[in-house]
Amino acid sequence: MVNLTIDGIKTSVPDGSTILQAAQKIGIHIPTLCAHPDRIVKSNCRICVCEVEGSRLLQTACSQPVFEGMVVKTRSPKVIEARQIILELILSNHPQDCLNCIRNVNCELQHLAKEYCIRENPFKLKTKGLPKDYSTPAIFRDPNKCVLCRRCVETCTVIQGVGALGLENRGYHTMIVPSMGKNLGDSPCVMCGQCIHACPVGAIGEVEYIDELMEAIADPNTIVVTQIAPAVRVAIGEEVGMKTGEMPMNKLITALRQIGFDYVLHTNFTADLTIMEEGHELLQRLTTGGILPMFTSCSPGWINFCETYYPDLLDNLSTCKSPQQMFGALLKTYWADKMNIDAKKIFSVSIMPCTAKKYEAFRPEMNASGYQDVDIVLTTRELGRLLRLCEIDFDKVEPSEFDPWMGDYTGAAVIFGASGGVMEAALRTVYEVVMQEELKDVNFTATRGFQGIKEAEVDLNGTVVKVAIANGLSNARKLMDQVRAGESPYHFIEIMACPGGCIGGGGQPITRSNIKREERIASIYIEDEQCAIRKSHENPEIKMVYEEFLHEPLGHKSHELLHTHYHAKNKRLI
Amino acid sequence: MGYKQILDAYKNIPGGMIEAFNAIQDIYSYLPEEAIIEAAKVFNVPVSKVYDVTTFYSMFSIKPRGKNVIRICQSAPCHVAGAAEVVAALERELGIRIGESTADGKFALETTECVGQCQDTPVITINGKPYMGVTPATVVDILAEYK
Ligand code: SF4
Ligand code: SF4
Ligand code: SF4
Ligand code: FES
Ligand code: FES
């Protein structure tokens, strides 16, 4: 342990700690812009400077290790003035665009400018005047707002193993650019949106579709139907001043109707359906010598990744569409028929924790219903904006229920939102299908939690089925390299592109650290416990859709509407 | 030699990527996009990382440029010794400005920081070979060697 004094308070911290860590321990806040609790990057922005007795120059708290007897001042006038100058310099290269910015009131730079009372900037404003990049349907970049913290580069390269973003030039001319200085659409970006969480400012964001929604709601001839994904409910409260997990589903349903959706349905219905189809696909592969391990296919960022980096393993991917796309295909066929609504009039909106799903909805093959199956995709953050835009007051909102035929769900669908959930849900159903007996304890806890890679085994009538789960694409890479080398011991692998699974999706409320993701995971399992039915095959509406329409898992209709195939992306700049 | 052969030759050497790029530039005088993509494969890093390297070092060019790269030292000692007149003479002789290449693809004109030959300024380099104590008159003769 090392003893030191910060702002007159004595403390001791483990050897190798930074000033920042030592200060955090005793509740002293030091501002940061490039350092991030879950990342390695540091010492790029200098906003964290402090005075250290005996050294002439100010030291960056995020990188400076403590030493015995160190005396630090974090809020002396000298420090505050230095930080103000650093901010003024950053702001002198930054568009003064807060009122039009996607991160207005949720921006680390704006927050610092407020904290440090920045008024009249002595430095002349000189912005880069670069074009915004709207080359993908999911993620945009505004390089003018970039403060060069490099968090996105580390996220994309190290956490996601993609490397779509990098540096260009050096010194004053340094910029963050997609591969080869081209547009994001030309890069291998998989549209996971994790860089959005990393970015302290509005330099990266999701492409918004709120105007398209409002236009559809305004049109009296259009029937606007929404599906809402399981991970949205646990996080949406964060957008409207509630705690994580606190938003009651029943109130959210009413709020969606108040916004103007004609029908409110739940993606959880097709999460249960995915389990029926994917569970049977797994059994089919296991019993007929099919290609193994089978990979889950509900994370479109992961699909993009597999199509880009592992095109040789596309046959391992389950042919099941994601729950969003299964839903889209059934909405404009099965549901439209049951409701006696002309499918042509339906505007199908999905609300997702995910940015990659915006891209997925636009894939040309996603039109099994004869129309574009899902018309637009909004993120949880966009839903937050809608709730605020419509000034929904949750204290006054009365609870209500989902509309019929595609709204029922089980605990198995709820846990799709957390890494390991699809696996656990599949095991609950596969076990009962194979063993023809009731599963006593539905909780497969080995599949749960935030770790990057998890594994488990189940004994199905003497056959030991080995499964693995990865979240975050650099973890997926480890499992994929094993498969490619022919050394994978697994039968079934669940991959979620985003750390923690969909609860940490690129479209979720901005997370400042992984602690938030863990809270959301906890909230998902509480909801599962509270569900009366926790196995997909026991969902009454699922039984109905098979009886009346699909007839059997992997049947003819299912193949037409619920399954798909994949294409190598052949990206040049990987 | 193709890019791949050159890159492969430097694959297992520390700092091999930089060396390989120097070798590629010796032949092609710049780093074509295909060479950058190939380097990403050979060195097993993303294209974005290779691109970072190629734009970090001023000696690399990712735009096509004339085969013989003339660099004029812009650091203070050379500047004081009359680098500006040498620049003017070169621009006149080649009919291009600093940062451009001649239409026949023979010459590119660039600037550089001190190349460590300040004992006899001003200094220019052609394809890395230094010429010391140049004057507007002598540069014309030097150019002739490359025409
Ligand atoms: S990035 Fe932040 S500081 Fe910059 S314009 Fe947007 S809100 Fe304002
Ligand atoms: S969306 Fe994902 S893949 Fe694309 S640049 Fe951001 S982190 Fe990288
Ligand atoms: S785009 Fe955002 S995260 Fe990336 S370097 Fe710029 S400010 Fe940082
Ligand atoms: S937070 Fe320490 S230098 Fe950026
Ligand atoms: S100043 Fe020109 S070579 Fe050193």
Side-chain angles (χ1 to χ4, degrees), chain A residues 4-15:
Chain A
L4 72 161
T5 310
I6 307 178
D7 297 338
I9 302 171
K10 286 192 171 32
T11 183
S12 56
V13 289
D15 213 0

Side-chain angles (χ1 to χ4, degrees), chain A residues 60-193:
Chain A
T60 48
C62 66
S63 60
Q64 183 62 46
V66 296
F67 55 79
E68 186 60 36
M70 188 182 219
V71 178
V72 184
K73 286 188 200 154
T74 77
R75 36 176 86 121
S76 65
K78 184 173 167 191
V79 165
I80 289 180
E81 195 196 346
R83 289 185 190 156
Q84 282 170 327
I85 293 172
I86 290 161
L87 273 174
E88 283 163 354
L89 282 167
I90 295 173
L91 290 168
S92 73
N93 289 310
H94 192 93
Q96 317 284 296
D97 191 32
C98 298
L99 292 180
N100 304 310
C101 186
I102 197 162
R103 290 293 286 271
N104 191 13
V105 257
N106 190 10
C107 167
E108 295 182 35
L109 178 60
Q110 190 187 45
H111 180 77
L112 286 171
K114 182 186 85 178
E115 303 272 281
Y116 283 83
C117 308
I118 303 300
R119 295 291 177 265
E120 265 155 67
N121 195 337
F123 303 104
K124 210 168 151 273
L125 181 65
K126 186 165 178 278
T127 57
K128 300 190 191 88
L130 295 164
K132 292 185 194 171
D133 177 353
Y134 272 96
S135 57
T136 83
I139 314 277
F140 77 86
R141 293 183 66 251
D142 182 353
N144 302 296
K145 288 183 183 164
C146 174
V147 296
L148 298 174
C149 70
R150 295 152 169 74
R151 287 179 187 177
C152 58
V153 177
E154 185 187 331
T155 303
C156 189
T157 310
V158 181
I159 310 289
Q160 294 302 67
V162 173
L165 301 172
L167 293 155
E168 182 184 72
N169 299 326
R170 62 169 156 178
Y172 180 75
H173 299 285
T174 305
M175 287 210 296
I176 306 297
V177 291
S179 310
M180 209 74 94
K182 303 204 168 162
N183 281 333
L184 200 59
D186 299 319
S187 82
C189 170
V190 300
M191 291 173 239
C192 67

Side-chain angles (χ1 to χ4, degrees), chain A residues 163 168-170 182 572 574, chain B residues 33-34 47-48 51 55-56:
Chain A
E168 182 184 72
N169 299 326
R170 62 169 156 178
K182 303 204 168 162
R572 281 174 77 238
I574 61 173
Chain B
E33 206 167 277
E34 292 309 322
V47 165
S48 58
Y51 182 77
T55 59
F56 184 86

Side-chain angles (χ1 to χ4, degrees), chain A residues 31-35 42-49 60-63:
Chain A
T32 52
L33 203 50
C34 65
K42 50 177 75 158
S43 34
N44 288 318
C45 73
R46 296 195 59 79
I47 194 68
C48 62
V49 287
T60 48
C62 66
S63 60

